[in-house]
Amino acid sequence: QVQLQESGPGLVKPSETLSLTCDVSGYSISSGHYWGWIRQPPGMRLEWIGSIYHSGSTSYNPSLKSRVTVAVDTSKNQFSLKLSSVTAADTAVYYCARVGGPFNMWGQGTMVTVSS
Amino acid sequence: EIVLTQSPGTLSLSPGERATLSCRASQSVSNSYLAWYQQKPGQAPRLLIYGASSRATGIPDRFSGSGSGTDFTLTISRLEPEDFAVYYCQQYGSSPRTFGPGAKVDI
């Protein structure tokens, strides 16, 4: 059974870089699929951040593109998210997901708060 | 960017009743690449419907989707207690992928 698990700091200071990792189990990232990050600020709608293929090909939401890097490490069967120059507006629950057209498998999510 | 709106924002119903949720897109959704998700408090969204009308694996047949172009509908034929949740539509036909604001089905 495919499982995804996010990990990373729950508190990040303004202007610093948010870094999260998604560990995938039960499925080899190298086998295919795109893998993505989605976030949900408190009380707001879900927002797609970006996606990556196992080959390293990426696509990003234009609203975040200048600050986002998504990378994949097939040897560890995980992918990662870096979001630079964070502000309070980046406070959200961050989810990783498998992309099969729609997002067909999700991690449980991790809350990240941006505060000094 | 395709903007999705959902109506109604909240639907108050009882178990056994029928729920009809609407999702409207600001422009046509390519290939009817429209999905519906269910989210309960403290949980990740769960894929219910993809391609506007195909049920995801393990989803009960009381959930059905329809529509094309800019207008889509999620129907829950007979509400079970576990169906009271927030429902989101999402389009994946064009980039960036976008979500609707959500619609709450409560008792």
Side-chain angles (χ1 to χ4, degrees):
Chain A
Q1 181 179 350
V2 182
Q3 291 187 316
L4 296 88
Q5 179 68 58
E6 306 87 350
S7 62
L11 181 64
V12 181
K13 290 183 168 54
S15 79
E16 295 190 344
T17 296
L18 178 161
S19 296
L20 296 174
T21 297
C22 182
D23 287 295
V24 180
S25 59
Y27 187 90
S28 172
I29 285 181
S30 299
S31 296
H33 282 286
Y34 276 85
W35 303 86
W37 290 96
I38 303 102
R39 70 180 183 179
Q40 186 172 33
M44 297 179 65
R45 73 178 72 191
L46 296 149
E47 179 181 35
W48 170 67
I49 300 170
S51 300
I52 190 165
Y53 197 55
H54 67 84
S55 63
S57 172
T58 55
S59 60
Y60 298 130
N61 192 321
S63 68
L64 297 167
K65 187 174 183 177
S66 63
R67 299 193 291 130
V68 172
T69 302
V70 178
V72 65
D73 187 337
T74 54
S75 66
K76 295 181 178 178
N77 214 41
Q78 63 183 205
F79 59 104
S80 62
L81 167 70
K82 291 189 186 299
L83 181 65
S84 64
S85 304
V86 297
T87 69
D90 295 309
T91 294
V93 176
Y94 285 77
Y95 297 98
C96 60
R98 188 177 73 174
V99 186
F103 301 105
N104 59 18
M105 195 71 62
W106 296 64
Q108 65 183 25
T110 187
M111 180 69 198
V112 179
T113 301
V114 178
S115 175
S116 56
Chain B
E1 170 175 325
I2 295 179
V3 177
L4 300 176
T5 56
Q6 292 184 239
S7 60
T10 301
L11 198 54
S12 296
L13 295 169
S14 300
E17 291 192 297
R18 181 185 187 91
T20 302
L21 305 177
S22 174
C23 177
R24 178 162 290 179
S26 61
Q27 54 190 281
S28 184
V29 176
S30 176
N31 300 114
S32 293
Y33 283 162
L34 192 287
W36 290 92
Y37 301 85
Q38 176 193 68
Q39 187 177 36
K40 297 179 181 178
Q43 296 184 18
R46 176 176 69 145
L47 178 65
L48 299 175
I49 301 287
Y50 64 94
S53 60
S54 297
R55 273 187 300 276
T57 302
I59 301 304
D61 60 8
R62 64 179 181 273
F63 291 92
S64 64
S66 63
S68 64
T70 60
D71 291 297
F72 300 88
T73 301
L74 173 70
T75 301
I76 311 171
S77 59
R78 296 173 309 280
L79 283 164
E80 297 287 341
E82 62 267 28
D83 299 336
F84 291 92
V86 178
Y87 294 84
Y88 294 92
C89 58
Q90 180 239 334
Q91 66 81 22
Y92 54 98
S94 63
S95 190
R97 297 160 178 259
T98 51
F99 291 84
K104 185 177 183 180
V105 177
D106 67 10
I107 298 176

